[in-house]
Amino acid sequence: MNGAAPTTPTTTVSSKTLQQSLPVPAPSTKSEPTVVSPPPATSAVPGSGKKSKKRNSGRSMAPLTHPSIKDGWFREISPQWPGQAMTLKVKRILHVEKSLYQDVLVFESETYGNVLILDGVIQCTERDEFSYQEMIAHLPLASHPNPKKVLVIGGGDGGVVREVLRHESVEEVVLCDIDEAVIRVSKQYLPHMSELLDSSRVRVFVGDGFKFLAENTSTYDVIITDSSDPVGPAESLFQKPYFQLLHDALAPGGTISTQGECLWIHLPLIKNTNTMVKEIFPNVEYAFTTIPTYPSGQIGFCIASKDAERDLRTPLRKVSPTRYYNENVHRAAFVLPEFGKRALETGETILPVLGGVAPSDVQAKKILLLGSGFVARPCAEYVARNPANSLTIACRTLASSVKLGEGLSRTTAISLDVSNSAALEEAIAAHDVVISLIPYTYHAQVIKAAIKGKTHVFYNIPEAETVIRGTLRFQGFPEFIAVLVKMGWLDGENKDWLNNDMTWAEVTQKATGANESSEKALIERITALAEFPSASEKARIVSGLRWIGLLSSTEKVTVRGSNLLDTLCARLETLMAYEEGERDLVMLQHKFTVEWTKEDGSVDEEVITSTLEMYGTPGGHSAMAVTVGVPCGIATQLVLDGVINQTGVLAPYSKELCDPLIELLEKEGLGMVEARI
């Protein structure tokens, strides 16, 4: 699986012009990737059977390292499959690189040959790659009566192209991958997969898959999307606009095949994706294959055709040579286990319910959680503990909702645009409590929708559903956010003009209405919009805007979600990501000066401090996320249990509100430590 999300203009690349990795580390910049490969020696090139030439570099290099490899074992640990991990024993690391889009790792394993890893996730191994490549290619091709032109989106390792070329009717295969590093590295370390990229029937493009599809309508008989999982850049490949582009790029009667995730882990995402695709294609099926090194040893495919009458389950010709695929396996791939079959056909869930079952006499409570930021997961985890709670997670994109809810019991993921008042009101009215963890600019809309849904009352609250929010901010943070609001960067509306060819400065110019995109003109416009109270405040905020890159006239923007808010969030996620082993610290202290009057009239003074000190967990939740999300979850549960039953807008300042909150916070390790000084 490889990513192919839109980022850069499409360019033609000959396999002969792709540069090989340098044997020395290159410095990381915003425009060039960091590449580290081991020094060449007289040894067999993995998978090629050929000897490489020995070169004396005049100095030795330190062994390559990678944070996902510890004590000689690669560990595939990801929130996409919480609570489980795949490990492989490593013989030696072959290649480490930070490309323009992702972290690239290649190592030689003890039992699976060479392994390609992108962003910490296994993409392919020499031992088992054929089961995935054969099935994603032959299911759509063998059921098509006469496929001649085929497009592969992603798949820079070349494995899918290799399988497509087994069909004699195919006259042309176009490979479009966003990251040239995947193609280059695969040619070096996975030649058995990539060697046919040099075929006369193959054209290779490095660039934007979305743009390529839009420029080639009604062209291809089969389009195969060999994508990575729906996080980061690949998230857009699981959304409706992408499937519409696929549909439009197909010739009459054309068929698509896309990576469709794992039945054991991603069943809600699969169900929602299939439902969405059926809104575009008249003929949609789901199939799967087994592969040891993918999560839970299984992965599926969404197969859809413009031809409503085509039998996608039946091959029309034999394909050879193959290692996994045959005619009977083709038919069997569409026969799903009962839990998957029911989920896709009726929406029924028959998998075991983990985490306990609520007593039959306890009424189920329905909670709606809006948002997918870092604080949302600790909140969701706390709410999901109670077997009486049914949690709905709503984000702008379905993939974000699914990711946030992975591994949580009694949790449903939905896509919800909070700027759509009717949809927001409908969602809130269907729940007992709504938790708003989205940007504060939307809180008023959430509150209005909750008030409007007053007929759906919980625990005798007459005016509205309960709305809970939590914040913990650095000094000066609200002022900085206020400037971003005035600049338009927190606008969640789609912008037709927003594209990846623009610089950050050009986007800021368009958003603010500045006369031009020079830094001077932008600062003048921002100053007029923000009305800074002082020169020092202006300098502080402008410095922050430079750090984010919003004034850069050289760096191109990476668009997410076709709007300014999501694009800014993606930028901040990149800038503020923790390095290996890093963690955050939250420190909160209250200081009280107490004066005691003695019997003789004299006064004693005592200082009492109440302090919270908490560190985040490297690779886990940040301290900020826990100290905001868990209190929010606790407050929600207290409302559901009727402990908090006052009406109106409540602040936790009274003893009646604080005591139950503090009791539960201390049980979660969030208690304050008092001291007298």
PDB file of all heavy atoms in Angstrom, residues 163 205 450 510:
ATOM      1  N   GLU A 163       1.335  -7.054 -11.755  1.00  0.00           N
ATOM      2  CA  GLU A 163       0.196  -7.957 -11.914  1.00  0.00           C
ATOM      3  C   GLU A 163      -0.716  -7.521 -13.056  1.00  0.00           C
ATOM      4  O   GLU A 163      -1.266  -8.364 -13.775  1.00  0.00           O
ATOM      5  CB  GLU A 163      -0.582  -8.030 -10.602  1.00  0.00           C
ATOM      6  CG  GLU A 163       0.203  -8.600  -9.437  1.00  0.00           C
ATOM      7  CD  GLU A 163       0.786  -9.970  -9.748  1.00  0.00           C
ATOM      8  OE1 GLU A 163       0.085 -10.803 -10.352  1.00  0.00           O
ATOM      9  OE2 GLU A 163       1.963 -10.202  -9.386  1.00  0.00           O
ATOM     10  N   PHE A 205       4.065   8.567 -13.732  1.00  0.00           N
ATOM     11  CA  PHE A 205       3.892   9.976 -13.389  1.00  0.00           C
ATOM     12  C   PHE A 205       4.102  10.141 -11.891  1.00  0.00           C
ATOM     13  O   PHE A 205       3.610   9.343 -11.103  1.00  0.00           O
ATOM     14  CB  PHE A 205       2.496  10.479 -13.762  1.00  0.00           C
ATOM     15  CG  PHE A 205       2.281  10.639 -15.233  1.00  0.00           C
ATOM     16  CD1 PHE A 205       1.885   9.563 -16.014  1.00  0.00           C
ATOM     17  CD2 PHE A 205       2.482  11.869 -15.852  1.00  0.00           C
ATOM     18  CE1 PHE A 205       1.681   9.703 -17.373  1.00  0.00           C
ATOM     19  CE2 PHE A 205       2.283  12.016 -17.209  1.00  0.00           C
ATOM     20  CZ  PHE A 205       1.884  10.932 -17.978  1.00  0.00           C
ATOM     21  N   ALA A 450     -28.429  22.934  20.385  1.00  0.00           N
ATOM     22  CA  ALA A 450     -28.836  22.192  21.576  1.00  0.00           C
ATOM     23  C   ALA A 450     -30.087  22.791  22.197  1.00  0.00           C
ATOM     24  O   ALA A 450     -30.988  22.072  22.642  1.00  0.00           O
ATOM     25  CB  ALA A 450     -27.688  22.188  22.588  1.00  0.00           C
ATOM     26  N   LYS A 510      -5.130  36.147  -0.049  1.00  0.00           N
ATOM     27  CA  LYS A 510      -6.508  35.916  -0.488  1.00  0.00           C
ATOM     28  C   LYS A 510      -7.466  35.909   0.709  1.00  0.00           C
ATOM     29  O   LYS A 510      -8.567  36.469   0.645  1.00  0.00           O
ATOM     30  CB  LYS A 510      -6.574  34.576  -1.223  1.00  0.00           C
ATOM     31  CG  LYS A 510      -7.916  34.255  -1.851  1.00  0.00           C
ATOM     32  CD  LYS A 510      -8.128  34.982  -3.146  1.00  0.00           C
ATOM     33  CE  LYS A 510      -9.387  34.493  -3.849  1.00  0.00           C
ATOM     34  NZ  LYS A 510      -9.645  35.231  -5.105  1.00  0.00           N
TER      35      LYS A 510
END
